[in-house]
Amino acid sequence: MTTAIYPGSFDPMTFGHLDIIKRASLITDRLIVSVLNNSSKTPLFSVEERMAFLRQATQDMPNVEVTSFSGLTVDFAHMMGATVIVRGLRAVTDFEYELMLSQTNRKLASDVDTIFLTTSLQYAYLSSSVVKEVALYNGDISEFVPPYVEKRIREIMNL
Ligand code: ADP
């Protein structure tokens, strides 16, 4: 049985993340989507709300769980009995950072491997920060995030 974790900030989750989740869930037995509780970043949404968005989006996927973690990703993987870390690759700009991250994680834990899923083309330029930026200037984000996420972004930004 293959258990994988899909770690990230998910601040907030986008259709790009969801695309990776759907596809990763088809090739793993158990997929744990894990919201990183990173004290050095100032997120727009609390960890609880980020998890709630992800839970709502994945409620029809029986082998997907949503949780949060802090600390080293490989320590969390060990704790969950996961041997795979899933990451998404959008464009070459992601590559250098992701390569460094995966090599570091391999050094820290040789029993955990990172797999990369390339994003579907329509989401290749989508990121949580782009969504927040577009929303801030009152642009249409309905093609980037589910309606409940859009509603909360607008509430928080007072739009
Ligand atoms: P982090 O802060 O760890 O990069 P993110 O929430 O931004 O967290 O991203 C989590 C993972 O999802 C990363 O592997 C990132 O490359 C991937 N990802 C983000 N946006 C997309 C997208 N539009 N399509 C595919 N993968 C994505």
Side-chain angles (χ1 to χ4, degrees):
M1 176 163 144
T2 308
T3 299
I5 59 167
Y6 177 31
S9 308
F10 304 106
D11 184 40
M13 177 205 82
T14 68
F15 286 138
H17 292 128
L18 198 54
D19 175 50
I20 298 291
I21 293 171
K22 274 185 198 146
R23 289 161 48 211
S25 74
L26 297 176
I27 54 171
T28 55
D29 297 302
R30 181 180 176 216
L31 178 68
I32 305 167
V33 183
S34 324
V35 176
L36 175 61
N37 193 350
N38 185 344
S39 51
S40 68
K41 282 191 183 174
T42 314
L44 183 65
F45 293 102
S46 68
V47 169
E48 284 67 34
E49 197 159 16
R50 283 182 268 160
M51 287 197 296
F53 293 150
L54 286 159
R55 287 209 174 103
Q56 186 148 356
T58 59
Q59 56 189 348
D60 297 331
M61 301 179 209
N63 64 336
V64 176
E65 295 159 39
V66 177
T67 186
S68 68
F69 75 107
S70 51
L72 288 177
T73 304
V74 288
D75 288 344
F76 177 68
H78 283 153
M79 206 175 86
M80 302 309 284
T83 51
V84 172
I85 298 172
V86 173
R87 295 287 287 176
L89 277 182
R90 283 162 291 190
V92 274
T93 42
D94 280 340
F95 186 77
E96 206 171 317
Y97 174 69
E98 292 293 341
L99 188 66
M100 179 202 67
L101 211 59
S102 68
Q103 293 293 9
T104 306
N105 285 336
R106 164 88 54 78
K107 193 97 188 145
L108 292 171
S110 57
D111 56 340
V112 180
D113 244 311
T114 304
I115 63 163
F116 297 103
L117 295 181
T118 48
T119 181
S120 301
L121 259 187
Q122 81 233 61
Y123 304 126
Y125 297 97
L126 183 53
S127 68
S128 301
S129 36
V130 161
V131 169
K132 287 181 274 194
E133 187 91 3
V134 173
L136 187 64
Y137 296 105
N138 221 351
D140 181 9
I141 54 167
S142 61
E143 288 192 22
F144 303 154
V145 295
Y148 45 89
V149 175
E150 180 178 2
K151 184 168 168 274
R152 283 293 293 144
I153 291 181
R154 300 219 180 275
E155 277 168 10
I156 286 186
M157 290 186 171
N158 262 326
L159 297 169

